[in-house]
């Protein structure tokens, strides 16, 4: 099973340590293909968003079902999120600090009304992916 | 200014590193008085919840306005959460993996419909506290 995460920006070592802890746990269930996109340096925000969106769209693996993580997306409980993970070749997209052109994304998920830094969000996402697999496989996992 | 966090359980070093990064940032605005409560070892879950709730209630600082972080609490955006931080001596409570007797808590905040591990939740909370102070003080802070 394979699962893709496309994310704008990189992780500092403190976040990377946590990300890798969950990545290792997830690896028993699925490979995570992490595609990092460098944040575009562009003072014009509208143009920056356009460029980053283009870079993201180019990187989406073929035949993949895509979910963009958005403040305006669908809210769900961990159990519902887990049910998505039954499908192979999903792609979760974490946009940059200015977001993306959302019109290109049909499926949007909202984890919270709160704004999180993208690095923390990546850890939140991979933890939730692990939680999802734990739920789907009846593995006891601490809250 | 002072702010209290009462949390059941401790942080492993990977989470503590991240927590301390935000704790340092918050310290420019407020002292965080972290009160950790040891998870009660008690096979009877109902009794465990009762005991942990009692320990939490005993630790609430005098005259403090209390918010229990709950899946059934009020959802809010970062800006609304920030507006809470104008008051001194607030207490945010993160329950253990089995929760608390919620009847003792009038003010409840829900950060997400998703379930998070308590360690990650503590990092999410302190990041949001820092974000709140950054919002209230017009400090540019990366998303």
């Amino acid at each position: 099973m394979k699962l893709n995460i496309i994310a704008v920006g990189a992780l500092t070592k403190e976040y990377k340590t946590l990300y890798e802890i969950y990545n290792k746990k997830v690896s028993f269930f699925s490979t995570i293909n992490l595609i990092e996109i460098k944040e575009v340096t562009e003072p014009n925000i509208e143009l920056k968003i356009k460029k980053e969106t283009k870079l993201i769209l180019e990187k989406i693996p073929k035949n993949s079902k895509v979910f963009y993580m958005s403040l305006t997306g669908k809210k769900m409980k961990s159990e519902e999120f887990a049910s998505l993970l039954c499908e192979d070749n999903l792609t979760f997209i974490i946009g940059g600090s200015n977001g993306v052109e959302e019109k290109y994304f049909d499926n949007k998920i909202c984890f919270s009304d709160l704004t999180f830094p993208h690095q923390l969000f990546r850890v939140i996402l991979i933890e939730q992916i692990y939680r999802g697999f734990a739920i789907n496989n009846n593995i006891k996992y601490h809250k």
Side-chain angles (χ1 to χ4, degrees), chain A:
Chain A
M1 205 161 177
K2 195 189 71 168
L3 193 151
N4 315 289
I5 297 176
I6 303 180
V8 177
L11 297 186
T12 56
K13 84 171 185 302
E14 296 84 3
Y15 280 100
K16 206 171 164 53
T17 304
L18 267 185
Y19 179 88
E20 288 304 335
I21 288 173
Y22 288 110
N23 193 21
K24 204 174 159 186
K25 285 172 187 275
V26 170
S27 70
F28 291 98
F29 306 107
S30 174
T31 305
I32 294 191
N33 171 32
L34 174 66
I35 303 161
E36 276 189 2
I37 287 170
K38 222 183 141 184
E39 194 172 356
V40 171
T41 320
E42 166 60 62
N44 180 324
I45 299 299
E46 209 178 317
L47 205 57
K48 178 176 185 284
I49 292 172
K50 266 187 200 296
K51 284 181 178 177
E52 286 178 354
T53 304
K54 188 165 173 285
L55 289 170
I56 289 170
L57 292 171
E58 285 168 1
K59 292 288 189 186
I60 295 172
K62 218 177 153 182
N63 300 322
S64 179
K65 183 166 184 180
V66 175
F67 295 93
Y68 176 66
M69 311 309 289
S70 164
L71 278 169
T72 64
K74 185 179 181 227
K75 292 191 185 117
M76 52 185 75
K77 291 183 179 294
S78 295
E79 289 74 12
E80 192 182 346
F81 182 74
S83 70
L84 300 176
L85 301 176
C86 299
E87 214 172 307
D88 195 18
N89 195 25
L90 300 176
T91 298
F92 296 99
I93 297 174
I94 305 171
S97 54
N98 300 103
V100 297
E101 292 181 276
E102 298 214 2
K103 65 180 177 192
Y104 291 109
F105 302 97
D106 292 332
N107 303 312
K108 291 188 262 189
I109 297 174
C110 176
F111 270 11
S112 175
D113 289 333
L114 302 165
T115 303
F116 297 124
H118 71 90
Q119 296 200 81
L120 181 55
F121 193 84
R122 210 189 293 183
V123 174
I124 291 171
L125 174 62
I126 197 166
E127 189 280 327
Q128 209 56 219
I129 289 170
Y130 175 65
R131 183 176 298 276
F133 283 119
I135 290 169
N136 293 343
N137 291 279
N138 287 313
I139 289 167
K140 194 175 147 54
Y141 171 47
H142 209 277
K143 277 183 272 188

